[in-house]
Amino acid sequence: MDISPLQKARYSYQPKLPAVLRGNVDSIGIELGKPTEAVDDRAELRNIFKLSYGAPIATFVAKPNRGNRRPLVVGVILSGGQAPGGHNVIAGLFDGLKKGNPGSRLVGFSGGPSGLVDDLNVEITAELVEGYRNTGGFDIIGSGRTKIETPEQFEKALRTAKRHGLDAVVVIGGDDSNTNAALLAEFFKSRGEAISVIGAPKTIDGDLKNEYIEASFGFDTATKTYAELVGNIERDANSARKYWHFVKLMGRSASHITLEVALQTRPNVALVSEEIEAKGMTLTQVVDAVCDPIVRRADRGFNFGVVLVPEGLVEFVPEFKTLIAELNDLLAREAAAYAALSDDGARTAFVSGRLAPAARAVYDSLPGDIRRQLIMDRDPHGNVQVSRIETEKLLISMVENRLAAMKAAGTYRGTWSAQNHFFGYEGRCAFPSNFDADYCYSLGFAAFVLIANGLSGYLSSVRNLTAPAAEWVAGGIPLTMMMNLEKRHGEEKPVIRKALVGLDAAPFGVFAAARDEWAVETCYRYPGAIQYFGPDEVCNAVTETLRLESLKK
Amino acid sequence: MDISPLQKARYSYQPKLPAVLRGNVDSIGIELGKPTEAVDDRAELRNIFKLSYGAPIATFVAKPNRGNRRPLVVGVILSGGQAPGGHNVIAGLFDGLKKGNPGSRLVGFSGGPSGLVDDLNVEITAELVEGYRNTGGFDIIGSGRTKIETPEQFEKALRTAKRHGLDAVVVIGGDDSNTNAALLAEFFKSRGEAISVIGAPKTIDGDLKNEYIEASFGFDTATKTYAELVGNIERDANSARKYWHFVKLMGRSASHITLEVALQTRPNVALVSEEIEAKGMTLTQVVDAVCDPIVRRADRGFNFGVVLVPEGLVEFVPEFKTLIAELNDLLAREAAAYAALSDDGARTAFVSGRLAPAARAVYDSLPGDIRRQLIMDRDPHGNVQVSRIETEKLLISMVENRLAAMKAAGTYRGTWSAQNHFFGYEGRCAFPSNFDADYCYSLGFAAFVLIANGLSGYLSSVRNLTAPAAEWVAGGIPLTMMMNLEKRHGEEKPVIRKALVGLDAAPFGVFAAARDEWAVETCYRYPGAIQYFGPDEVCNAVTETLRLESLKK
């Protein structure tokens, strides 16, 4: 069978919408709140977004509204890394447009924002959408990371929009992409063009989150997929009783994914980068924190366990951050001499000899493979590719060395054997969970309503997510409201402020209270594979993060 | 919640039994066939199994049988690597025993066969079993790899069995463990002890398979779990269009797992070790076979793809096998001189200089990491640990080098970037699929019936697996019938013959016919996560391997 049985069955799944979006489109009205302010740097942002700063929050309510029926032509872009549910944002947007007016059209721009710049378009028809409903991936029109940044790119985007007679452009992306959407909205306004720009909050990383965005789509599905795998590994560890499994998890900078998976699976150790940075921990102290449970469990005869490691870890260890900065400087400064070297041994020695003492101490303490990776794997700018560093292997190596020393000193009496894993691509394109399928469909439909009512510079918003879908609150949040200035490549730029793990917030609090027991005991919890059918508590649960964050309200 | 919602929901799942095992136990009778012969080496095996050779096949039929009600005390062992469903073999055995006579008892021996030798026991009670029904893992009593081999171990096992008044021992394991079970059965018989030994066919590798064993349990769940992940990676590859993903899959020697996952997900390339060996391919030719689709797809603008690599690959490439044998000899012979060397560069040079020309050519062609792994990662016998070789990285490296040469020559015009993955532990302890849950429960129940009727030296058997469970045929297969002699550590030993991928059989045939299209086109199929609920075709499907093998009958 060309299409798997599950994919075929999922085509029939009818995503759940908030009640306000379910009935006749003539009954979806908008209530606007008061003018808003940015998170920070208000004066500067008011200056950048002269025409769109301070727009009010929009909430959909049941009240008569003839405006939703005008015919529209809307463009849509998928931007940045994949996240489960992107196809449902498109499906919800498409269905909303057609419900409003069968003559409305949806045009996809391929390969990310550059598709809008270069006018690489594909008509989104009912037939095309059918094959992508409730599926993972971004392959309906593809994605890409090129943002619309230069004046020339903005002009070309406008020309494309006018060529197609677009009433709006929907950008489905993360924080950078939605910031881009805000700038595009401002640009169109500045040209007197009535072309709306609406964003949708995507990222599996879970860091596009604030008071108004309860969750970024894809986080639910990705973390549940990783939790399935970690649970299986835990069951294996507990059955074989032979290995310590180190599992690195995607998540870019913040540790939301690692924290969520830890809450679902209760591993022996889960490192949270934000805590490590807050405490100013050295690499040595991080290694100690991992070795402690290993030794204590060994004393009880448990020579096995599971450690979760967030992808961004090394960027949060101050001395490692310093080392990377020095390496980047050194390799740029001595590029010619370095290029003349012909083997790895000479290269690592060259580098070591030229680092400042503190950085050299850290560099020399690293395993050979990592020392090589740091100077060989560099990005097109010549900088160390931190994401390519096999952090889980780095930790295993350093833990191994520490345990060997402790064994010699008689303080560790266990037997040591490790396995390493890295999960990222395995979860980014899974079939969206019922939650993500519903959430994304609702975001797309809500985007239609915002567009139909002429709003621009808004993020499609669906909230109250821990309640049944019928009770979700839909509307739009002005993009400028979530912004501040941050330094990018030496310049102050407007960006939507991201959320790192809050060390004072409930999810981390629950984790911190339980982890000492999880470290020494074996408290594993096995979530199993994402289920799309079956009892409500099995197939419609939200993440622990969302559940715990909602409790305090 | 301590137990995940899925685990809780699965406790209520009632595994499906063959019709003959469903009713009153007084109606489960046995029909015995004619005496049987071994697969090969019949004279030798008749001599080894003097008392148990040639027993007839047993089939359960509906007919009166008072014998199933006698009270029994049965021991059970989990042996070797984990496989989903082991807990259900135990549950089915337990339920069968109790149904026959509430006074019957099941005693678990912990940590594998050594548990029977050292009498590490745990009473399997109704309360204990409740928490493990339909779960993955082997942690109810744990597993281990130590076999019962020496005369002393056989004596101690007998003493343990008598100490507990065992009527039988059930061994849930792979080919080695079931061979062990046959020898134990013979041993007990030779001592005039009425202690039955029954085996159950476990392994995710799928190679414990023959005319009488349609499938080894765990293969279904493990391959479906790996197929979920490979499908997700394919969707990501097709969305981002940036990477070639190389995925190594567990499976020890045979390529059944890789072939099954390929049939479910249709990757661009899947290497089948058995084919590589049959064609006597060199490492260079294997690399060529991978580069060809890469180049052809690049010519069409597709700089992305997915390659599946079976774990045992390098052992099937003749020149690599030779290299490993020479390395083992060399490192044993020159152990002292080698131990005196102090850095990796010196070690690899030392080795390279002392290999025969052909082996040296292969060794020198390998990436530095692999050259180091081959001589550093050695097992307690001092032999190269082939399973630790990162074969997927070896291939990526060699492909990279070939593409660079082709680029310089102008025959490759694509852009190259790779990601690597290894799946094994992620699938070994998943919650068993409905198929494995039913199959294993039935195997356990069937083991009870064999024991109740005094049979020994049998493998619990459930066949006709592509039909609904009610139509499954249950009984027992005499272990000696599936045996031949094979060389182990220089000695001829009796073993159950394993099945490598049959190049003339239907599963490989379907793959071979389709792979040229899969190589150049993008034909990905996305199975998604294992479902336990929902439409029959979604949650009760068998593997492609089983389905195709059953067609020809």
Side-chain angles (χ1 to χ4, degrees):
Chain A
M1 188 174 155
D2 287 321
I3 295 171
S4 73
L6 180 64
Q7 183 166 338
K8 183 158 181 258
R10 286 304 273 167
Y11 284 153
S12 323
Y13 177 72
Q14 194 46 54
K16 306 186 275 293
L17 282 169
V20 69
L21 297 178
R22 289 187 188 187
N24 198 301
V25 299
D26 295 322
S27 313
I28 307 173
I30 298 195
E31 254 171 30
L32 297 175
K34 299 191 187 47
T36 62
E37 294 278 8
V39 165
D40 209 343
D41 307 303
R42 295 170 178 185
E44 294 90 331
L45 287 165
R46 195 174 298 129
N47 193 47
I48 295 170
F49 296 96
K50 289 185 171 63
L51 301 167
S52 45
Y53 183 88
I57 292 175
T59 309
F60 301 155
V61 294
K63 80 179 185 192
N65 185 350
R66 302 303 311 286
N68 295 332
R69 290 216 178 267
R70 59 190 185 96
L72 298 162
V73 182
V74 175
V76 65
I77 297 165
L78 287 163
S79 181
Q82 282 71 254
H87 287 162
N88 268 28
V89 179
I90 292 177
L93 173 60
F94 178 85
D95 288 352
L97 284 167
K98 292 297 189 182
K99 200 172 179 187
N101 191 312
S104 289
R105 287 174 43 233
L106 182 60
V107 181
F109 292 93
S110 311
S114 55
L116 184 66
V117 171
D118 302 327
D119 197 2
L120 298 166
N121 64 79
V122 54
E123 188 81 15
I124 310 288
T125 60
E127 198 176 45
L128 178 63
V129 162
E130 281 324 285
Y132 289 90
R133 290 181 186 277
N134 306 310
T135 62
F138 274 12
D139 44 311
I140 185 173
I141 56 175
S143 183
R145 294 190 183 276
T146 310
K147 304 290 184 288
I148 304 169
E149 287 175 320
T150 67
E152 189 194 356
Q153 285 169 323
F154 275 98
E155 293 292 345
K156 291 179 81 174
L158 175 56
R159 277 205 292 278
T160 300
K162 290 176 80 71
R163 186 178 306 124
H164 289 272
L166 298 185
D167 295 290
V169 175
V170 176
V171 178
I172 303 169
D175 58 304
D176 278 357
S177 308
N178 278 291
T179 300
N180 215 198
L183 290 164
L184 195 62
E186 177 70 21
F187 173 72
F188 286 156
K189 278 194 160 119
S190 74
R191 292 305 183 84
E193 299 287 352
I195 304 171
S196 292
V197 183
I198 301 294
K202 168 227 80 164
T203 177
I204 64 164
D205 301 337
D207 57 5
L208 184 51
K209 182 170 69 173
N210 53 43
E211 204 182 323
Y212 308 97
I213 310 174
E214 289 178 8
S216 58
F217 81 74
F219 177 77
D220 187 275
T221 304
T223 51
K224 282 171 178 169
T225 304
Y226 304 144
E228 167 199 358
L229 304 181
V230 170
N232 290 353
I233 287 170
E234 287 175 333
R235 194 114 214 183
D236 201 299
N238 198 37
S239 300
R241 310 202 143 214
K242 278 183 1 180
Y243 297 118
W244 272 86
H245 293 263
F246 283 64
V247 183
K248 185 172 80 170
L249 292 168
M250 242 190 199
R252 196 172 47 172
S253 287
S255 308
H256 298 293
I257 288 181
T258 292
L259 181 57
E260 173 63 29
V261 174
L263 289 168
Q264 289 195 33
T265 62
R266 307 180 183 180
N268 303 101
V269 181
L271 299 176
V272 176
S273 305
E274 293 84 340
E275 182 183 30
I276 286 164
E277 186 178 58
K279 293 180 171 171
M281 289 171 78
T282 63
L283 209 48
T284 299
Q285 288 171 324
V286 172
V287 173
D288 278 341
V290 176
C291 285
D292 182 56
I294 294 174
V295 173
R296 290 162 68 199
R297 283 175 68 74
D299 285 342
R300 290 161 161 245
F302 302 149
N303 287 296
F304 66 94
V306 177
V307 178
L308 303 188
V309 182
E311 180 181 25
L313 179 69
V314 291
E315 292 177 271
F316 285 73
V317 177
E319 56 179 11
F320 212 93
K321 224 164 133 180
T322 306
L323 168 63
I324 289 170
E326 283 203 36
L327 278 171
N328 288 339
D329 283 346
L330 167 62
L331 292 169
R333 214 169 56 233
E334 310 254 13
Y338 179 81
L341 303 169
S342 58
D343 75 82
D344 290 351
R347 291 185 190 108
T348 49
F350 178 93
V351 158
S352 173
R354 283 159 181 71
L355 289 167
R360 180 187 308 150
V362 178
Y363 187 71
D364 289 350
S365 77
L366 302 173
D369 281 348
I370 305 293
R371 270 183 281 131
R372 275 186 294 273
Q373 273 176 22
L374 280 171
I375 60 179
M376 300 296 286
D377 292 335
R378 287 186 284 156
D379 68 20
H381 302 289
N383 290 325
V384 170
Q385 289 216 88
V386 177
S387 64
R388 284 275 202 175
I389 294 172
E390 293 178 302
T391 316
E392 72 282 18
K393 290 190 170 180
L394 164 61
L395 268 175
I396 288 175
S397 220
M398 298 186 80
V399 162
E400 219 156 73
N401 292 344
R402 172 67 52 76
L403 292 175
M406 291 179 76
K407 189 149 218 174
T411 46
Y412 169 64
R413 288 163 288 276
T415 49
W416 170 255
S417 195
Q419 298 285 345
N420 57 281
H421 314 263
F422 173 34
F423 300 139
Y425 301 97
E426 291 78 356
R428 287 204 319 188
C429 288
F431 286 85
S433 60
N434 290 338
F435 174 85
D436 270 330
D438 299 340
Y439 183 38
C440 290
Y441 188 83
S442 302
L443 285 169
F445 203 107
F448 146 66
V449 178
L450 294 168
I451 293 164
N453 290 273
L455 294 169
S456 183
Y458 276 75
L459 187 75
S460 176
S461 161
V462 178
R463 296 184 283 152
N464 201 31
L465 296 171
T466 48
E471 298 168 41
W472 290 353
V473 175
I477 307 297
L479 287 160
T480 55
M481 189 183 181
M482 301 180 289
M483 287 187 181
N484 60 185
L485 293 180
E486 288 175 24
K487 224 172 186 121
R488 294 274 195 273
H489 307 298
E491 279 185 61
E492 288 283 346
K493 297 221 168 216
V495 292
I496 292 172
R497 194 157 74 179
K498 288 201 303 287
L500 295 178
V501 166
L503 300 176
D504 298 323
F508 182 79
V510 167
F511 166 70
R515 62 178 160 181
D516 288 344
E517 187 188 10
W518 297 356
V520 184
E521 306 295 333
T522 306
C523 303
Y524 303 148
R525 183 175 175 278
Y526 313 107
I530 289 179
Q531 297 298 293
Y532 301 96
F533 308 91
D536 206 49
E537 61 272 18
V538 170
C539 69
N540 287 317
V542 295
T543 58
E544 286 297 288
T545 300
L546 186 60
R547 188 181 68 80
L548 291 168
E549 285 174 343
S550 302
L551 285 179
K552 55 189 172 118
K553 293 178 188 168
Chain B
M1 189 175 158
D2 288 320
I3 295 170
S4 73
L6 181 64
Q7 183 165 337
K8 184 161 182 256
R10 287 303 274 168
Y11 283 154
S12 325
Y13 176 72
Q14 194 47 53
K16 306 186 277 291
L17 281 168
V20 68
L21 297 179
R22 289 186 189 190
N24 199 302
V25 298
D26 295 323
S27 313
I28 308 173
I30 298 196
E31 254 172 31
L32 297 174
K34 300 189 186 48
T36 61
E37 295 278 7
V39 165
D40 209 344
D41 307 304
R42 294 170 179 185
E44 294 90 330
L45 287 165
R46 197 176 294 128
N47 192 46
I48 295 170
F49 296 95
K50 288 185 172 62
L51 301 168
S52 44
Y53 183 90
I57 293 175
T59 311
F60 302 155
V61 293
K63 79 180 186 192
N65 185 349
R66 301 304 310 285
N68 295 333
R69 291 215 177 266
R70 60 191 184 95
L72 298 162
V73 181
V74 175
V76 66
I77 296 165
L78 287 163
S79 180
Q82 282 73 254
H87 288 162
N88 267 27
V89 179
I90 292 177
L93 174 60
F94 178 85
D95 288 352
L97 284 168
K98 292 298 189 181
K99 199 169 178 189
N101 190 313
S104 291
R105 286 174 43 234
L106 182 61
V107 181
F109 292 94
S110 310
S114 56
L116 183 67
V117 172
D118 301 328
D119 198 1
L120 298 165
N121 64 79
V122 55
E123 188 81 15
I124 310 289
T125 61
E127 198 177 45
L128 178 64
V129 162
E130 282 324 285
Y132 289 91
R133 290 182 186 275
N134 307 311
T135 62
F138 274 13
D139 44 312
I140 186 173
I141 56 175
S143 181
R145 295 192 182 273
T146 309
K147 302 292 184 287
I148 303 169
E149 286 176 322
T150 67
E152 189 194 357
Q153 285 170 322
F154 275 99
E155 294 292 346
K156 292 180 80 173
L158 175 56
R159 276 204 293 278
T160 301
K162 291 177 78 72
R163 187 177 308 123
H164 290 272
L166 298 186
D167 295 291
V169 174
V170 176
V171 177
I172 303 168
D175 58 304
D176 278 356
S177 308
N178 279 291
T179 300
N180 214 199
L183 290 164
L184 195 61
E186 177 71 21
F187 173 72
F188 287 156
K189 277 193 161 118
S190 75
R191 293 305 183 85
E193 299 288 350
I195 306 171
S196 292
V197 182
I198 301 295
K202 168 226 78 161
T203 175
I204 64 165
D205 301 336
D207 58 3
L208 183 53
K209 182 169 70 174
N210 53 43
E211 206 183 320
Y212 308 97
I213 310 173
E214 288 178 8
S216 58
F217 81 74
F219 177 77
D220 187 277
T221 304
T223 51
K224 283 171 179 169
T225 304
Y226 303 144
E228 167 199 357
L229 304 181
V230 169
N232 290 353
I233 287 170
E234 288 176 332
R235 195 114 215 184
D236 202 298
N238 197 37
S239 299
R241 312 201 140 214
K242 279 185 357 183
Y243 297 120
W244 272 86
H245 293 264
F246 284 65
V247 182
K248 186 173 79 171
L249 293 168
M250 243 191 198
R252 198 171 45 171
S253 287
S255 308
H256 298 293
I257 288 180
T258 292
L259 180 57
E260 173 63 29
V261 173
L263 289 168
Q264 290 194 32
T265 61
R266 308 179 181 182
N268 302 101
V269 181
L271 300 177
V272 176
S273 305
E274 293 84 339
E275 181 184 31
I276 285 165
E277 187 177 58
K279 292 180 172 172
M281 290 171 78
T282 62
L283 209 48
T284 299
Q285 289 170 324
V286 173
V287 172
D288 278 342
V290 175
C291 284
D292 182 58
I294 293 173
V295 172
R296 290 163 68 199
R297 284 175 67 75
D299 286 343
R300 292 161 158 242
F302 302 149
N303 287 296
F304 67 93
V306 177
V307 179
L308 303 187
V309 182
E311 179 182 25
L313 178 69
V314 291
E315 292 179 89
F316 285 72
V317 177
E319 57 178 12
F320 211 93
K321 227 165 132 178
T322 307
L323 168 62
I324 289 170
E326 285 202 36
L327 278 171
N328 287 339
D329 284 346
L330 168 61
L331 293 169
R333 214 168 59 233
E334 310 254 12
Y338 180 81
L341 303 169
S342 58
D343 75 80
D344 289 351
R347 291 185 190 107
T348 49
F350 178 93
V351 159
S352 172
R354 284 160 182 71
L355 288 168
R360 180 187 310 148
V362 178
Y363 187 72
D364 289 350
S365 76
L366 302 172
D369 281 347
I370 304 294
R371 271 182 281 130
R372 276 186 294 275
Q373 273 176 22
L374 281 171
I375 60 179
M376 301 296 286
D377 290 337
R378 287 187 283 157
D379 69 19
H381 300 291
N383 291 327
V384 170
Q385 288 216 88
V386 177
S387 63
R388 284 276 202 177
I389 293 173
E390 293 178 301
T391 316
E392 72 283 21
K393 289 189 170 178
L394 164 61
L395 268 176
I396 287 174
S397 220
M398 298 185 80
V399 162
E400 218 156 75
N401 292 344
R402 173 67 52 77
L403 291 176
M406 291 179 77
K407 190 149 220 177
T411 45
Y412 169 64
R413 288 163 288 275
T415 49
W416 170 256
S417 195
Q419 297 287 344
N420 58 282
H421 313 264
F422 173 34
F423 299 140
Y425 301 98
E426 290 78 357
R428 286 205 318 187
C429 289
F431 286 86
S433 59
N434 290 338
F435 174 86
D436 270 330
D438 299 342
Y439 183 37
C440 291
Y441 188 82
S442 302
L443 286 169
F445 203 106
F448 147 66
V449 177
L450 293 168
I451 293 164
N453 290 274
L455 293 170
S456 184
Y458 277 75
L459 187 74
S460 177
S461 161
V462 178
R463 295 184 283 155
N464 200 32
L465 297 172
T466 49
E471 298 169 40
W472 289 352
V473 175
I477 307 297
L479 287 159
T480 56
M481 188 183 180
M482 300 180 289
M483 286 188 182
N484 61 183
L485 294 180
E486 287 175 26
K487 226 172 188 125
R488 294 275 196 273
H489 308 297
E491 280 184 60
E492 288 284 347
K493 299 222 167 216
V495 292
I496 292 171
R497 194 158 73 180
K498 288 202 301 290
L500 296 178
V501 166
L503 301 176
D504 298 324
F508 183 80
V510 167
F511 166 71
R515 63 177 160 181
D516 288 345
E517 187 188 9
W518 296 356
V520 183
E521 305 297 332
T522 307
C523 303
Y524 302 148
R525 183 174 174 280
Y526 313 108
I530 290 181
Q531 297 299 292
Y532 300 98
F533 309 91
D536 205 48
E537 62 273 17
V538 169
C539 68
N540 287 317
V542 295
T543 57
E544 285 298 286
T545 299
L546 186 59
R547 187 180 68 79
L548 291 168
E549 285 176 342
S550 302
L551 285 179
K552 54 186 173 122
K553 296 180 187 169

